[in-house]
Amino acid sequence: MSGIFIPNDTSNTERSNPPDSLSHLFSDELFLGKVENVAHFINRVPTGLKKFLDFCKKHHTAKKILVFGDSWVYYPSFGGDGFLPIGSDGNITDCLRDRKIVAIYKVGANGTKLRDVLNAKHFPYYQTLFEAINPDLVFISLGGNDFAGKTNFPGFIRKRSKLMTNFEDYLNLDDIAERFDEVRAAYLTFLKQFSTYPSVKKILTHCYDDATYSVTGFNVSVTLGMGFKPVIIGNPLFPTNNFMTQFMVQLGIPTQFQPAIIRYMLDQFRVQVLDKLKPDVPQFDYVNTYSVLERYALGSLGVLQGIPLTPEDTTPKRFWLNEIHPTAEGYRILEEMIYTYGIKPALGL
């Protein structure tokens, strides 16, 4: 089994679910966005970094985690400390901070592409961060926007024709392989640079999951917290139909082939990128989160406090917003597994 395997747990004992609180060991620096030059990043160092370092001096026992990520560590990101004024924790780091044993410094933004963040032109800024923070762990949550985003995914699929008899016929396989080669190369440059910093003992990430999502889509610009049902705004007659599905619908790809196409894209990120990186960077590993939410729904991973299973949970649909983003409960489950089997051992806790 590739990556760090998460074993089954069929016990009936509920796992403790860290409560949300206004007292977080957490600091945030959202800087990436649409900017292009390193100077912008350097100009922001005195603000977010100083705040973070001052925080660490007051909480000297906190383990320091430097996080690079996209919406899995940022969405919805209300406020500098990630606190959601309404609703539930909305991403991995929102859940992780509730443990109150870590100080988290984040680099990235919603929608960020891996090849943008993992770019050599940012190394001067990153070196500043590593030297100042001396992190106990580097955690990366990137990649989905490089192959599943609206600027990428449409180029990987083909319009329906009578000659197509299986899901692979609808994929531009050579273009997909080329993209994953590009992502892996960017990742490798990034990891090798990070491994030169003496403080870096472990670099950890996760793969994606095989989502079972609502067929009605997640056409939403604003939600009242991740724990609430989405409030649809825009044109309700023409919903965007999820993350990747909307483009397959536009090209007439039959419904029966759509899940297999999504599954292929998500799984190939693990196979073509993460598995091939491990031998080249000894400090690097990933938690194999593939099928975690499905296993949880089937009762094979135990039960978290506050997230009970019901007779209706034969699939993990309840835990997914769309093909690549979990709900608040989904993130909480994933964070529990990533923390227990990846972050906790890496930090020696």
Side-chain angles (χ1 to χ4, degrees):
M1 179 65 67
S2 303
I4 299 171
F5 177 65
I6 299 171
N8 286 340
D9 177 5
T10 57
S11 66
N12 294 323
T13 304
E14 283 188 340
R15 295 191 188 211
S16 174
N17 193 350
D20 200 4
S21 168
L22 292 178
S23 176
H24 306 299
L25 297 182
F26 184 84
S27 185
D28 181 17
E29 177 73 346
L30 175 64
F31 75 88
L32 227 114
K34 301 294 184 181
V35 294
E36 296 291 337
N37 58 76
V38 177
H40 175 83
F41 303 150
I42 295 175
N43 288 338
R44 291 191 62 126
V45 168
T47 56
L49 183 56
K50 183 179 185 302
K51 174 185 174 183
F52 179 80
L53 296 176
D54 289 344
F55 178 86
C56 290
K57 288 179 181 178
K58 296 178 182 178
H59 304 83
H60 57 88
T61 61
K63 296 291 186 179
K64 293 174 288 185
I65 303 180
L66 181 54
V67 176
F68 294 84
D70 50 25
S71 55
W72 273 55
V73 301
Y74 269 103
Y75 183 82
S77 193
F78 288 107
D81 67 350
F83 171 63
L84 294 180
I86 304 176
S88 307
D89 290 336
N91 56 60
I92 292 293
T93 49
D94 275 353
C95 298
L96 181 60
R97 61 168 185 178
D98 292 342
R99 298 181 183 276
K100 302 182 179 67
I101 57 173
V102 295
I104 304 171
Y105 191 90
K106 298 195 298 187
V107 175
N110 292 321
T112 296
K113 295 182 178 64
L114 184 147
R115 63 182 187 272
D116 293 333
V117 180
L118 311 190
N119 190 311
K121 71 179 182 179
H122 304 322
F123 283 163
Y125 173 72
Y126 296 157
Q127 184 173 358
T128 300
L129 292 182
F130 277 94
E131 292 175 352
I133 295 173
N134 194 27
D136 297 292
L137 172 69
V138 177
F139 184 76
I140 303 171
S141 184
L142 289 164
N145 292 305
D146 292 81
F147 64 86
K150 64 181 180 180
T151 60
N152 298 297
F153 183 71
F156 298 145
I157 53 177
R158 296 170 173 165
K159 188 175 182 179
R160 180 182 184 180
S161 77
K162 294 181 179 179
L163 299 177
M164 295 174 171
T165 58
N166 61 69
F167 81 92
E168 289 187 342
D169 292 336
Y170 293 92
L171 293 171
N172 293 317
L173 295 175
D174 290 342
D175 292 343
I176 294 171
E178 183 178 351
R179 172 52 50 80
F180 283 130
D181 285 344
E182 293 171 355
V183 170
R184 186 175 66 254
Y187 222 135
L188 184 59
T189 301
F190 182 75
L191 294 177
K192 285 188 172 180
Q193 177 66 27
F194 280 13
S195 65
T196 64
Y197 301 130
S199 65
V200 178
K201 303 298 188 295
K202 192 72 175 180
I203 305 171
L204 192 67
T205 188
H206 61 87
C207 60
Y208 290 97
D209 202 345
D210 181 14
T212 302
Y213 51 93
S214 171
V215 296
T216 60
F218 185 64
N219 181 15
V220 60
S221 298
V222 176
T223 61
L224 297 178
M226 293 285 286
F228 289 72
K229 293 183 178 180
V231 178
I232 299 178
I233 52 182
N235 190 337
L237 298 178
F238 299 97
T240 57
N241 263 339
N242 292 293
F243 209 70
M244 292 179 276
T245 308
Q246 58 177 306
F247 303 110
M248 293 190 281
V249 171
Q250 291 170 9
L251 292 178
I253 297 177
T255 304
Q256 67 265 30
F257 293 129
Q258 293 176 16
I261 290 172
I262 293 170
R263 188 179 304 116
Y264 177 86
M265 298 296 293
L266 298 178
D267 195 44
Q268 287 304 300
F269 174 73
R270 175 179 62 86
V271 173
Q272 296 298 324
V273 178
L274 301 183
D275 282 344
K276 290 185 178 181
L277 285 169
K278 287 183 60 177
D280 294 323
V281 185
Q283 298 99 319
F284 173 74
D285 207 344
Y286 73 94
V287 181
N288 193 332
T289 50
Y290 198 80
S291 79
V292 158
L293 297 182
E294 179 181 14
R295 290 164 65 194
Y296 187 92
L298 294 175
S300 62
L301 290 180
V303 179
L304 281 178
Q305 184 181 3
I307 312 180
L309 293 174
T310 69
E312 290 75 29
D313 288 320
T314 55
T315 73
K317 183 182 295 187
R318 156 187 165 198
F319 303 129
W320 287 102
L321 288 178
N322 54 42
E323 304 96 313
I324 204 166
H325 293 103
T327 61
E329 289 184 326
Y331 274 124
R332 177 66 72 180
I333 296 166
L334 286 166
E335 186 274 342
E336 170 69 20
M337 301 305 163
I338 291 171
Y339 174 78
T340 300
Y341 298 103
I343 293 176
K344 185 177 180 180
L347 293 175
L349 298 173

